[in-house]
Amino acid sequence: MAQTGTQGARGLGEGLKQLDGLSVVPPATNIVVVIIVKPGLTPRRLCDNLACNGVLALPFGDDRIRMVLYREVDEAAVDRAIEATEASLQP
């Protein structure tokens, strides 16, 4: 089912905030800001790990990354991004 970028961002934010080591700023747009609270994990390292798992994100400050969703990103892709993020948090 098609969704807007904002709807996808809300779903992604809800899924990511369930993962240990992350906190999420509730998205009001299609941008998800993820705060890294896992000791020793840097934004660059998380973004590199995500890229290895097929998800693109950008470092956004000292303890955050930014993920942007577009209309073309469906619910299955959001689920894959959550799974990839969980895998990227593993040592």
Side-chain angles (χ1 to χ4, degrees):
M1 173 183 217
Q3 60 185 3
T4 67
T6 302
Q7 289 169 329
R10 287 184 188 132
L12 180 59
E14 285 297 316
L16 295 178
K17 77 178 187 180
Q18 304 302 316
L19 302 179
D20 289 335
L22 300 179
S23 179
V24 177
V25 176
T29 66
N30 64 324
I31 298 171
V32 179
V33 176
V34 180
I35 302 166
I36 301 167
V37 295
K38 182 177 180 177
L41 183 60
T42 65
R44 171 54 46 206
R45 184 167 164 210
L46 180 55
C47 288
D48 289 348
N49 291 349
L50 284 167
C52 289
N53 284 296
V55 175
L56 299 179
L58 293 172
F60 191 63
D62 293 335
D63 64 349
R64 299 166 192 241
I65 66 168
R66 183 178 89 151
M67 303 170 99
V68 180
L69 285 85
Y70 297 95
R71 237 182 300 231
E72 295 80 16
V73 176
D74 62 13
E75 195 172 332
V78 169
D79 291 342
R80 285 192 304 275
I82 294 166
E83 291 168 5
T85 304
E86 183 173 28
S88 296
L89 292 170
Q90 304 307 315

